[in-house]
Amino acid sequence: MKSKAIIKMYLLPTLLQITVIAALVGILKLRGFELGYNSLLGILFISLAGASSALWGIVYQVKCHSKRPLEILKDFFNIKQSVKSYTLVLIFLVLDFSSVILNKGLKIESLLLPLLLFFKAIVFGGIEELGWRYSFQPTLEKKIPYIASTLITFVCWGVWHLLFFYIDGSLGNIHVLGFLLGLLTNSFILSALFAYSNSLWICVMTHALINTFSQMSINDNVLLDYIAKVICIFLAVYLYHVSQKKRTIDK
């Protein structure tokens, strides 16, 4: 029942909402409206589109898991997690950004900037985890193997992102191949961390940190970056299977 409910109550309404908004944006652009971040109407569309994943993730949790909004909020900000979980986040981040680090490509103009970008990234990024990792993929994994579930999540998340980039006007500036490889890597990293920690906050924080460091990255080695991402994916698959074995033993 829940595998069908996740499609009906989460995936379809999430994609429908952002697709309808993208269509409206397209129509208004053809009629000469200025949208994107330069207009109040554009910001409204961007906000409604960006909130779609979180909104329907919450609806799914309330309807299918009988969770109260305050309980979901507590999960979202539950920073009390194991040292091992935070250590794994650090390992993945160092690996994922190893090319940038080695090429001294992190631009930090002030100590306040990363903090501000992080809090911004929680709102514009981290909230997506209410849908994709907290609700969608764990439900898929009950019926479909982990790698297949991650790939399905990646495709759906990728479509969602491309529609969002069209809505906010940044689609033309995106290097699609590089972006999709990064998104695929993030799909594995975040899903493995959730499988290990069973923590929404760990995924929210990691997602926000990835977005923060991506915004501050100005230089890297493409080949080294691709190698690092492949290593991250293999490590994520390994971590997932370790997590499953641990749960089997605990039972």
Side-chain angles (χ1 to χ4, degrees):
M1 173 64 184
K2 287 180 180 177
S3 58
K4 292 181 180 179
I6 194 67
I7 303 298
K8 182 179 178 181
M9 300 185 67
Y10 171 71
L11 183 62
L12 289 180
T14 296
L15 294 181
L16 179 61
Q17 179 174 329
I18 199 168
T19 300
V20 169
I21 294 169
L24 287 173
V25 167
I27 292 169
L28 290 174
K29 282 182 177 179
L30 287 173
R31 296 191 174 184
F33 282 81
E34 183 180 1
L35 299 175
Y37 293 99
N38 296 320
S39 73
L40 289 176
L41 183 59
I43 292 172
L44 175 62
F45 282 138
I46 290 167
S47 300
L48 290 173
S52 58
S53 173
L55 170 64
W56 293 106
I58 292 170
V59 170
Y60 172 78
Q61 290 293 333
V62 170
K63 295 287 186 181
C64 295
H65 292 278
S66 301
K67 288 202 172 185
R68 293 168 297 180
L70 284 177
E71 188 179 355
I72 297 170
L73 185 65
K74 182 180 177 182
D75 287 343
F76 192 91
F77 290 109
N78 186 11
I79 65 173
K80 191 176 181 181
Q81 302 297 326
S82 70
V83 174
K84 287 183 179 180
S85 294
Y86 282 111
T87 302
L88 285 167
V89 171
L90 180 61
I91 290 170
F92 274 119
L93 288 173
V94 170
L95 275 174
D96 198 17
F97 290 92
S98 58
S99 174
V100 176
I101 295 169
L102 290 173
N103 283 276
K104 299 180 180 179
L106 276 178
K107 184 180 180 181
I108 304 176
E109 296 177 348
S110 70
L111 294 177
L112 185 61
L113 178 63
L115 189 61
L116 292 175
L117 288 175
F118 174 71
F119 286 119
K120 176 187 173 184
I122 287 179
V123 178
F124 296 96
I127 62 169
E128 295 169 31
E129 297 306 310
L130 283 161
W132 301 114
R133 253 61 59 177
Y134 190 58
S135 301
F136 186 63
Q137 184 159 341
T139 306
L140 290 185
E141 288 173 8
K142 293 175 182 177
K143 297 286 185 179
I144 305 172
Y146 168 69
I147 292 178
S149 298
T150 307
L151 291 175
I152 291 170
T153 303
F154 157 69
V155 171
C156 297
W157 198 26
V159 170
W160 184 93
H161 267 95
L162 293 176
L163 287 168
F164 180 80
F165 291 147
Y166 174 74
I167 292 165
D168 81 351
S170 63
L171 184 60
N173 300 322
I174 301 296
H175 183 270
V176 177
L177 181 60
F179 168 75
L180 290 178
L181 178 59
L183 197 71
L184 176 64
T185 306
N186 295 342
S187 295
F188 275 96
I189 290 173
L190 293 167
S191 58
L193 286 172
F194 186 80
Y196 179 84
S197 65
N198 195 34
S199 166
L200 172 60
W201 164 251
I202 286 293
C203 291
V204 170
M205 180 194 72
T206 306
H207 190 146
L209 286 171
I210 288 171
N211 285 7
T212 298
F213 291 134
S214 294
Q215 286 185 268
M216 295 192 301
S217 299
I218 58 171
N219 185 34
D220 67 353
N221 180 295
V222 175
L223 178 60
L224 182 59
D225 184 50
Y226 286 177
I227 292 171
K229 283 176 168 40
V230 171
I231 293 172
C232 283
I233 290 171
F234 277 102
L235 179 60
V237 173
Y238 174 75
L239 177 61
Y240 175 84
H241 288 295
V242 168
S243 304
Q244 295 307 106
K245 286 182 181 179
K246 184 176 180 297
R247 285 183 187 172
T248 302
I249 292 171
D250 290 342
K251 288 180 180 178

